[in-house]
Amino acid sequence: MRDPVIGIDLGTTNSAVASVEEGRPRIIPSRSGGRLTPSVVGLTPKLSERVVGTKAQELAKEHPDCVVWATKRFIGRRFTPELVQQAKAVVPYQLAGGNTGDVRVKMAGRTVPVTQVSAMILGELKLDAEAFFGRGVSKCVITVPANFDDSQRQATREAATIAGLDTLRLINEPTAAALAYGLSRGFQGHALVFDLGGGTFDVTVLEITDGVYEVKATGGDPALGGEDFDLKIVEWLLAQVDDNHRELVHRDVVSMHKLKVAAEQAKRELTEYEETLISLDGLGDHTQPARKLTGLETALTRHFFEQLCEPLSKRCIAVCESVMKEAGMDPHSVDTVLLVGGMTRVPLIRRLVTDFFGKAPSTDVNPDEAVALGAAIHADELARQSGAALLLDVVGNSLGVGVMGGRVKHLIPRNSSVPVVAKDVFHPGRHGQTEARIPIYQGESELQDENRKLGEVVLRNLQGASRADTPLEVTFELSNEGTLSVRATDLKTGLSEAVKLEARPHLPGQEAERLVKEQAVYAQKQAQADAKKTEETFRKLLERGEKLAKLLQRTAEESPSDEADSAMINVRSLLATGYSALEARDAEQCAQVARQLTQLLSGRRD
């Protein structure tokens, strides 16, 4: 039997894992029974034990300083004062810099690499999949925002490695969503994926024809998502706190967390209702023994919420306009608009989409699950090498070489199809130069200072006396996954060097190894605890199966038919297999029976 492969949507707000069974993609439920796992991680205050998902959300109610969320915004980034200021506007926890300049977060008195936080979430999804299949799971496809640069993609890969996962491929979230939508409905034509998640916004135009998914253009805003819409409500609520307490509330972690939770809840309620009431107490300084606390009672209408968020709405439209221009298309020429991300449930967003594209968006796909399902479909195709779908993706950011005058010469423009190879010839900056440093930049500006430097390739022992006698050929090679290789060659002597890209600050080797071992120990301990719970749950499931079998037998006796007999025999056979697997401690067989029996008991097929 082929090893199971999974697709993972590692989201800013929620994450999900899926697989393909019997040709159909399906979400793998968490061990606690949910279909989504909140991307929240915490460390308990006394023992520093990790908690992930809903348990971390519960911990945040009493100990918000022990929990972090929305860390996807910082993965693969370099720690800078500018980033710290940006973070203060969206999250209450503090950022710190690692020895190599990587970003870390402070929680429960500890400083934890952002990469490790992502690894904890991925590790939890891995455990969910292993409980679902009853066996080890390692191979996966993980989705990333289309505008993630190379450093962010490689950081995601490193997090997967720490979690014990073998990443078959990283694919862009909008492409994954379109893959799920196209394969399930046989769609052909131009599809636009409007992906507004918790922390990032992506827009991608694809042309889908006979299983070929060709990305025409992609763009986005890496600092725009549901968290920003929540923040608008938080700012409005804070402004209503009385003057004597406002500054105390603003500085207090517990109070600000209460405002954040209330804002998110209000946003959800306004999706269904025109008005929502917000009632809060216990706002103030929780750090002092003699607490000075206050409360807040107010109402928020959908209309006013939309006014608060007008600047964010304009940013959404600006991205759509830019992507349509790059695709060379008119908004009304899009055949269908697919909504992805929880924020697309908000009426404001659906109205924006309808007005801009001149048609109502599709609401047939669960926006929270489409990306994970698409990742699972692609993972299954890679494992089976079926060739059912061909993904022709594009470059999310332009890539180029730094030249004289502080400028950049772009070799691979944004939205070029990948894989791609590009070459150009340059010359040293002065006569008699014996060493050439060729910097590599990522970004859209023609100025080096406004782009991101990925690294440089160094050619030594140059022998040309004049610039013209020293032609240097630079070759960029970009893979399907956005991995960049750069080679510089002295065409006169044949001397060649490949770039060692420092696209991001890697974790130190010893620390990375320690985190891998730490994750493995946690996973083993957790798996043992899960096994006991799984056995108890399975025994209860078999008891429910026995009741179903008796009901089917009574039905067959009262209304004899081949169908009734077949249904009863099927359940009895499943129960017999389940009891045998339980006795033999065959976890994989137990899991298989559990999935089939659960479907029969629930009447669901997905």
Side-chain angles (χ1 to χ4, degrees), residues 427-428 431 466-471:
H427 294 86
H431 298 300
S466 68
R467 293 180 62 244
D469 291 336
T470 315

Side-chain angles (χ1 to χ4, degrees), residues 233-234 236-242 249 259 262 277-283 293-299:
I233 301 178
V234 170
W236 174 71
L237 290 174
L238 189 60
Q240 295 185 72
V241 176
D242 64 78
V249 171
L259 292 179
L277 299 178
I278 302 173
S279 178
L280 290 168
D281 56 18
L283 300 176
L293 303 179
T294 186
L296 177 64
E297 297 276 346
T298 189

Side-chain angles (χ1 to χ4, degrees), residues 173-182 185 190-196 202-204 206 208 334-341 344 353 357 359-367 370-371:
E173 291 165 357
T175 306
L179 188 62
Y181 176 70
R185 312 226 181 272
H190 285 97
L192 182 135
V193 181
F194 188 100
D195 184 355
L196 185 58
D202 287 322
V203 174
T204 299
L206 305 100
I208 305 173
V334 172
D335 296 303
T336 187
V337 179
L338 173 61
L339 300 180
V340 179
T344 60
V353 170
F357 294 101
K359 58 175 61 66
S362 169
T363 57
D364 296 336
V365 178
N366 185 323
V371 171

Side-chain angles (χ1 to χ4, degrees), residues 232-272:
K232 290 294 182 182
I233 301 178
V234 170
E235 292 171 349
W236 174 71
L237 290 174
L238 189 60
Q240 295 185 72
V241 176
D242 64 78
D243 296 342
N244 295 330
H245 290 85
R246 187 177 302 129
E247 188 59 31
L248 292 175
V249 171
H250 194 207
R251 293 200 308 262
D252 186 68
V253 177
V254 174
S255 298
M256 290 303 292
H257 180 73
K258 287 187 175 185
L259 292 179
K260 171 68 170 63
V261 172
E264 185 175 358
Q265 181 61 33
K267 181 184 68 178
R268 291 176 182 272
E269 290 183 2
L270 290 176
T271 297
E272 296 185 28

Side-chain angles (χ1 to χ4, degrees), residues 65 89 151 196 241 253 300 313 320 362 377 386 403 429 454 507 533:
D65 58 327
S151 66
L196 185 58
V241 176
V253 177
L300 178 61
S313 301
C320 291
S362 169
I377 290 171
S386 66
V403 296
L454 298 181
L507 291 176
K533 294 180 181 178

